[in-house]
Amino acid sequence: QAQGDAEAGKAKAATCVACHGNDGNSPTDMYPKIAGQHASYLEKQLIEFKTGATGGAGRANAIMAPMVMGLSAQDMADLAAFYASEAITPVATPEEVIEAGAALYRGGDLERGITACIACHSPRGEGLESARFPRLSGQHPAYIKAQLLAFRSGERENDPNGMMRDIAKKLTDQDIEILSQYVAGL
Ligand code: HEM
Ligand code: HEM
């Protein structure tokens, strides 16, 4: 894998600003925040948007596809390093989802075979760079919800280990609603 350079990445980010904001904190929840996300995860997503766009097993997305088509491996590593070096802006968890959200996030559900999210996404939703587990805290709840639905339907296919697909298949609509608001504020 290419070694990313945050300064070089900043210079290459001009086309990303329109949707993801100047520093990766997208101002509307139509687009995900990518500030403060792990470089390892960001780079993996960029690569997989490209494989998805060219018919391979990846993350097929009509909006991101044209953005990544012209990027080299070095560009992707640089862009990932840049966004990882910015700080994500925090989101507050609504009071009413804390109890149910914490129970599922921290304990999972043995009866339904749901692995606790905390095992991979960490106690404060910070994820893990070395394992390419994404940060969830600070993300727009609407984006988190959309991704959990995409994992559940199989539309988001890029995770080669199927970890998220297996878990999301067991989540109800209500679980997804609660978790998406809970993890954003972790
Ligand atoms: C998703 C990077 C340009 C719209 C993402 C993700 C990354 C990324 C890393 C995945 C986030 C995650 O998994 O948490 C970039 C970079 C860009 C760029 C480096 C410039 C080269 C744009 C532009 C738009 C856009 C210009 C709008 C026209 C989106 C949308 C998603 C997304 C809608 C979510 C896709 C989904 O729902 O699966 N982007 N982006 N991006 N980006 Fe971009
Ligand atoms: C990705 C939520 C459990 C591993 C994601 C994403 C969300 C999420 C929203 C997409 C992030 C983004 O697009 O920026 C959750 C919730 C969980 C859970 C709510 C509990 C119900 C787990 C567990 C593991 C795991 C237990 C490990 C066994 C991953 C991995 C990805 C991911 C590897 C990235 C997939 C990829 O590279 O495309 N998770 N997660 N998650 N999660 Fe989870």
Side-chain angles (χ1 to χ4, degrees):
Q1 258 175 355
Q3 185 66 36
D5 176 334
E7 274 305 309
K10 186 174 186 171
K12 294 173 181 176
T15 52
C16 319
V17 170
C19 299
H20 295 288
N22 280 324
D23 60 354
N25 283 296
S26 55
T28 90
D29 67 8
M30 289 173 63
Y31 308 112
K33 294 185 190 175
I34 53 178
Q37 185 55 275
H38 302 296
S40 58
Y41 170 79
L42 291 173
E43 186 179 5
K44 177 177 183 282
Q45 299 311 304
L46 293 173
I47 292 168
E48 288 172 351
F49 281 128
K50 197 166 176 176
T51 40
T54 49
R59 184 173 172 182
N61 182 269
I63 301 175
M64 279 302 297
M67 304 301 153
V68 296
M69 286 314 289
L71 300 180
S72 67
Q74 186 64 55
D75 294 338
M76 293 185 188
D78 291 345
L79 285 161
F82 166 58
Y83 286 111
S85 74
E86 295 291 325
I88 193 167
T89 52
V91 168
T93 294
E95 193 73 39
E96 62 269 23
V97 305
I98 292 180
E99 199 180 326
L104 203 48
Y105 186 86
R106 301 183 175 280
D109 190 326
L110 203 57
E111 233 161 72
R112 291 193 287 152
I114 299 170
T115 312
C117 321
I118 197 172
C120 300
H121 294 285
S122 307
R124 302 287 312 276
E126 65 267 47
L128 191 65
E129 161 76 29
S130 61
R132 291 186 296 203
F133 295 150
R135 156 185 291 279
L136 303 176
S137 53
Q139 186 56 266
H140 297 298
Y143 170 76
I144 294 172
K145 180 178 170 180
Q147 295 311 307
L148 290 173
L149 292 171
F151 283 125
R152 190 172 73 177
S153 70
E155 187 194 314
R156 181 163 166 179
E157 297 187 293
N158 67 339
D159 177 1
N161 302 311
M163 286 180 268
M164 282 308 300
R165 282 199 302 279
D166 291 345
I167 292 168
K169 281 198 187 94
K170 297 168 185 162
L171 299 175
T172 63
D173 288 349
Q174 199 195 357
D175 294 332
I176 289 177
E177 191 63 52
I178 289 168
L179 281 167
S180 59
Q181 295 184 47
Y182 176 75
V183 301
L186 267 176

